[in-house]
Each structure stands twice: as C-alpha cells, then as structure tokens.
Amino acid sequence: MSRLLLKGGRLVDPASGHDGPADVLVDDGRVAEVGPELDATGAEVVDCGGLVVCPGLVDLHVHLREPGREDAETIETGSRAAALGGYTAVCPMPNTDPVADNAGVVEMVAARGREVGLVDVFPVGAVTVGQRGSELAELGAMARSAARVDCFSDDGLPIREARLLRLALEYTRAFDAVIADHAQDASLTDGAQMHEGEVSAMLGLAGWPAAAEEMVVARDLLLAELTGGRLHLCHVSTGGAVELVRAAKGRGVRVTAEAAPHHLSLTDEAARSYDPVFKVNPPLREKADVEAVRLGLADGTIDAIATDHAPHAREDKEVEWSTAPPGMLGLETALAVTLTELVGDPAPGARDPQPPIPGPPNREGSPPGSGGAPAVHSPSGYLDLATAIERLTTGPGRCRRVPGHGGPVAPGTPANLAVFDPAATWTVDRARLASRARNTPFHGRELRGRVVHTLLRGAFTVRDGLAQR
Ligand SMILES: [Zn+2]
C-alpha cells in the first residue's frame, strides 16, 4: 500500500490534545509518524497547506434504509455521502425492513458496509423485537455476533414501557453496551406535526411539546441511575432536556448525549414555509432551545454531534406537510453547518480564540421564502475549532465503541482521517448530493468549511472533494 505524507496542515487531534502545525506520514494504512517537517522520501506528498487534518468524523446516528427502502438510500449511497462529509465511521439505526433486531440482520448490514468499503459501518441493534416495544430483542446474540453490536436503540420510537428499559439497561451492563433512547412520550405527541409553541398555534398545526421529550429524558435518567446501566440520549433538542442531562452528569449517572446539526441551527420558524423538508422528529424547537443545546454542546453536557441523517424518497417527502414523514439529510452538511453556525474563527489566519456568547444570539437568518432556511446564525463562536472537531470525532467514541476511529492520530493507529478547508465557502445544492434522497433543509444555504480529502485506513475515499468510488 502507498506511503502518503500529509504535509503542512494544521493537525487538530482532540484525543491527544494536539492543535497546531504537523505533518502526518501514512504507511500501509496506518499512521507512521506525526511531527514537524517529516521526511517525504518514498512518499506521495499531499499538500495540506491552509487545511485542517483531523480524525475521520464519526456519526452515531444515521438511517441508511437498507434493507427495505433502497429507493431512499442504500448502504452504498449513504456511505458515499458520509465519506464526502468527512466521515470514516457511521452507526445505522435498526428501523429497517426487516428490523435489525437479530444477529443475522446486523451482520448483513456490517458485511455490506465492509463490501462497499467507503466508511466503517457499526450497526445499532434494536432494543425490542421488531421495535414493537413488547419484549427484549436478542441483545446478547447481537453483541456476540460478527457485528459486535454494543449500542441498542428503538430509535424512531420511544421505549414506552419503563420496565423494558430497566431490563435492557440491567442486562446490557454484562457486556458494557449502551441503550440509546429516542425520548418522546407518544401519548403527548399523537398527531403532532411540529414543535408546540407560538408558531404551531399560529399555523394551526398540532404541537409536540418540549415536555414530551423532557419527561422521558427524566425517566430514562432515573432508570440509568437505578440500574447503573449506560444510557445514551438521541437528538436532544430542548433546553429542559439539556438541563436534566447536565444535572444527571453532575451526580455521576452514566449518560451520554448527542445533538443534531439541524437542532443546533434551525428553529420552528422554518415551519411557516410549510415546506415538509423542515419536518423532523424531534421537531425544530424555539430559539431559546437552540441556544441551550449549543451551550450544552460547548460545556460537554452534550458529547457528540450526530446527524440523524434520514433520507426519504421524493414521492414520500415532497407532499403536503401533514402527510410527509419526519426526517432530514445530514451527512454531507454536518461539518460545514457546525463550522458556520457554531465556530467563530472565520479563517485559518484569525488566531484570536473567540469566547462563547453568554446570552442568546439576536441575529436572524434570511426570512422564509428568500431561498434559505431561517437560521439562528451566530457571527462569533460557541465552540473553538478543536472543540467542534472533538464533538464530531472523539466525543462520539465516548458514547459507544468505534474502534480505530475518533483519534488519536498517533503512530500505529489506523489512518482514518479527514482533511478540510475551514475557510472555503460553498452553496448547498440538493441536486448534487451523493445521497439518493434530496431532503436537505440547507438547500441554497452558503456554508463555510469544505471537506477536501477523507482517508479510510490510508486509502482515499474522497480526494479533492470527489468520491473515489
Ligand atoms: Zn430518533
């Protein structure tokens, strides 16, 4: 295998704490050496001047739709979208058809991921049989399978019965696995179309109250505390949920949490367009929630940014709001949305670190109908670049095992790396996405930060912004 020298970049490696100029020598799929001015003899030199080199991104929460809805996405198209987004590892949720609730399906998904070979695929197994919420799936068998599943979720659906969640948390302690819950009290969200608040009242759409998320988060935290099991909270979207997680972490509960790029950047104001591309579950919340989730990400209450990449076929999604399924694409835009919305440092030359803003930001994005999604844009930063990268790489690795990913970028480790231009701007065009679906809420938006190369075990999956397969 080839020898590559990534030369002259800014290496940001949260696992080792390194943030500064360094060359990275890759040999035979592994990092061979890291340091200043490395010898390029026998190596192909890749000029990384002005670029950031970091561990490949890790996405804890994607929907790849295979098996069952290959018209919306496949493991291959989703893997390609991920690689283009700078990812080297993704964790597909089990709500496929058939449901990934047994060793056979999780092994098939992992094997297909290996065959495609663009990212490492770490499947999430279902907690209950068929995600029906009535009996536990074969968690042990999935953990022992070739897919070595260590994360289970009924995502898309909450685990309604506290007794079952308790059993799952107790049982998975034996193999140190994690239960990832989609926190939603279904009895409060029957028929809900969007976040419950002023905008839903004005539009006359049935609301999904923040309390329906927060009461399940509170229950889950109590059960994690009771059992000593490992809990992960999917797509935290409300200020109250952030506060509950912060308090629970403070008293030592074994909990980790993720937030989605759209919950960090868009509000329920987007629903005024009635464009179903903005329909998602949990729904886009209010500005104060976006602010709280951002601050939770900044102080580490929220460990990871996870996309909840949810591709839908056009004929399903491009219908009237009330009948459209919830969900948004995320893999190809997550890094740029994070850099644009959360990181102050606008250019590699701007060296002054920007402190987080203590109060709510008070600038609005473009109004609906002007071509872009309404956003809570912040001109300066909530996160410094290194922290943002941590939440996309090393942070996810705290939530579940993703061996070989998330750094450190150190001699002997697999060369799973992303290289991006932190200053380059580009405009999202849904027609040019690698995903089979088109439902990005960021179509037409100008974003800052562009993936240049992605390497999986030392081989380019993306080179100069182009997928290699
Ligand atoms: Zn979910």
Side-chain angles (χ1 to χ4, degrees):
M1 202 179 239
S2 64
R3 218 168 136 83
L4 284 176
L5 182 64
L6 305 179
K7 192 164 185 56
R10 168 179 170 187
L11 175 65
V12 181
D13 179 26
S16 70
H18 183 97
D19 181 2
D23 296 348
V24 178
L25 182 66
V26 173
D27 191 18
D28 199 21
R30 291 185 177 267
V31 174
E33 217 179 330
V34 177
E37 304 294 331
L38 296 183
D39 179 12
T41 309
E44 181 192 350
V45 176
V46 179
D47 179 11
C48 294
L51 305 180
V52 171
V53 179
C54 68
L57 276 49
V58 177
D59 197 339
L60 293 170
H61 189 150
V62 301
H63 299 273
L64 299 181
R65 305 299 189 210
E66 184 179 349
R69 284 308 302 265
E70 290 84 352
D71 58 325
E73 194 79 288
T74 64
I75 292 168
E76 181 177 355
T77 58
S79 292
R80 190 172 295 118
L84 284 162
Y87 288 90
T88 54
V90 299
C91 306
M93 284 295 176
N95 61 338
T96 47
D97 184 11
V99 171
D101 64 357
N102 62 75
V105 179
V106 291
E107 283 181 346
M108 186 281 281
V109 170
R112 181 69 192 131
R114 269 195 308 278
E115 210 170 271
V116 171
L118 288 165
V119 290
D120 282 346
V121 174
F122 297 94
V124 178
V127 177
T128 67
V129 174
Q131 293 191 302
R132 286 192 295 272
S134 47
E135 54 182 312
L136 284 190
E138 296 168 352
L139 309 183
M142 287 188 271
R144 288 188 302 272
S145 75
R148 293 170 167 267
V149 177
D150 76 320
C151 181
F152 300 94
S153 180
D154 276 358
D155 180 61
L157 300 162
I159 302 168
R160 287 189 194 220
E161 233 189 278
R163 181 188 63 91
L164 270 180
L165 178 58
R166 176 187 182 167
L167 275 177
L169 285 164
E170 276 170 351
Y171 181 55
T172 47
R173 281 186 62 179
F175 40 97
D176 198 33
V178 60
I179 303 295
D181 198 24
H182 168 121
Q184 174 181 5
D185 184 307
S187 71
L188 286 177
T189 59
D190 193 28
Q193 295 293 328
M194 64 173 293
H195 171 69
E196 181 172 307
E198 265 175 48
V199 181
S200 68
M202 194 165 296
L203 299 179
L205 291 173
W208 194 136
E213 175 169 337
E214 291 156 6
M215 55 199 282
V216 175
V217 167
R219 177 202 72 169
D220 290 5
L221 291 168
L222 290 169
L223 290 174
E225 197 162 16
L226 173 69
T227 58
R230 283 179 66 187
L231 171 70
H232 177 76
L233 292 165
C234 298
H235 41 54
V236 169
S237 71
T238 79
V242 173
E243 199 41 62
L244 287 163
V245 175
R246 186 178 284 124
K249 282 191 165 185
R251 56 178 197 274
V253 178
R254 299 175 78 200
V255 59
T256 53
E258 71 188 34
H262 46 269
H263 289 130
L264 290 160
S265 58
L266 303 170
T267 71
D268 61 346
E269 293 287 334
R272 290 183 192 276
S273 67
Y274 287 105
D275 183 342
V277 80
F278 298 114
K279 184 173 174 180
V280 65
N281 182 1
L284 300 176
R285 303 286 189 186
E286 297 171 21
K287 207 165 170 181
D289 294 305
V290 174
E291 172 71 9
V293 177
R294 288 173 167 200
L295 294 175
L297 191 69
D299 75 7
T301 299
I302 294 171
D303 300 84
I305 295 171
T307 64
D308 194 5
H309 178 84
H312 288 292
R314 293 185 94 137
E315 64 271 26
D316 293 334
K317 186 69 169 170
E318 293 174 18
V319 294
E320 81 179 76
W321 180 286
S322 61
T323 51
M328 299 173 165
L329 301 182
L331 284 166
E332 294 173 72
T333 49
L335 174 65
V337 168
T338 302
L339 295 175
T340 306
E341 293 287 336
L342 299 171
V343 179
D345 205 7
R351 288 196 180 75
D352 293 335
Q354 310 251 359
I357 298 172
N362 49 18
R363 290 203 190 179
E364 299 266 56
S366 51
S370 70
V376 184
H377 184 72
S378 78
S380 52
Y382 285 73
L383 310 175
D384 58 25
L385 182 69
T387 306
I389 291 173
E390 202 277 343
R391 303 294 188 262
L392 288 158
T393 59
T394 313
R398 274 199 303 280
C399 304
R400 69 168 296 186
R401 287 189 286 278
V402 280
H405 297 271
V409 181
T413 61
N416 298 323
L417 300 166
V419 180
F420 67 90
D421 183 338
T425 56
W426 59 290
T427 301
V428 181
D429 179 355
R430 64 187 163 211
R432 301 185 60 179
L433 296 175
S435 169
R436 185 161 280 182
R438 292 288 168 262
N439 53 306
T440 172
F442 300 108
H443 175 66
R445 281 277 299 278
E446 189 182 78
L447 299 176
R448 175 166 49 77
R450 180 135 222 195
V451 174
V452 180
H453 311 302
T454 310
L455 292 101
L456 183 68
R457 282 179 283 283
F460 285 101
T461 53
V462 171
R463 184 161 199 174
D464 297 318
L466 298 173
Q468 296 301 289
R469 268 176 292 139

